[in-house]
Amino acid sequence: MLFKNDVLKRLADGSVTTAFRCWEKARINEGTKLRTAVGVLEIQSVEAVAEEERLTEEDAGQAGYASLAELRKELVRYRGKGTVYRIELRYAGSDPRETLREQDELTDAEADELKRRLQRYDKASRRGPWTLQTLLLIQELPGRRAAELAGRMAWETDALKINVRKLKELGLTISLGTGYKLSPRGTRLLEHLQP
């Protein structure tokens, strides 16, 4: 689910607790956690809106709209694309990857576990080992566009992005407005990988 930045901020401070979406069928389930620019959001409930005319000003306000008319105008844009769903959300805290990536001290056990994870990624790849090469390239060229990095590795841009996301999950990289950079944790791991 995508949210505008101002709505994300209001979800984080609790002034917005609801979203409305039009889908053929519900695309998200209760309990799902979404990572966003402001942290983690948890889906509390997802239910089809039986009668749109029963929506209220309060519903609109809880979803971040200035008025019920504004909410209805937005829903009209998507009418015919499925059912309207009311999604109740709550802010569940900061993204745990943010804390993880700032850890610039690694125990030998943590470094060994990260090495094992990278080896698994390398072994599962049809292209062969890629993790160390990607980390080194990001270290060498921070902030470069994914397409440029992919070109240097002779990869498709989408494939590179998927792999960098895997590194981000481990707290090793940070996504920038354009490109990536190594996190403190990623920098420290490289020291373990290349003593």
Side-chain angles (χ1 to χ4, degrees), residues 100 103-118 170 172 185 188-189 192-193:
L100 186 63
Q103 295 175 353
D104 64 351
E105 294 297 323
L106 290 175
T107 65
D108 289 340
E110 290 170 328
D112 289 344
E113 176 56 26
L114 285 169
K115 289 176 192 177
R116 279 192 290 279
R117 296 283 296 273
L118 296 180
L170 299 176
L172 302 177
R185 180 178 172 94
R188 185 53 55 104
L189 178 63
H192 282 268
L193 294 173

Side-chain angles (χ1 to χ4, degrees), residues 110-143:
E110 290 170 328
D112 289 344
E113 176 56 26
L114 285 169
K115 289 176 192 177
R116 279 192 290 279
R117 296 283 296 273
L118 296 180
Q119 287 169 352
R120 281 199 302 266
Y121 289 152
D122 286 341
K123 189 174 182 183
S125 173
R126 285 185 250 147
R127 294 178 182 252
W130 60 270
T131 57
L132 179 59
Q133 179 186 9
T134 304
L135 289 169
L136 290 170
L137 190 59
I138 290 170
Q139 181 184 47
E140 178 188 345
L141 302 170

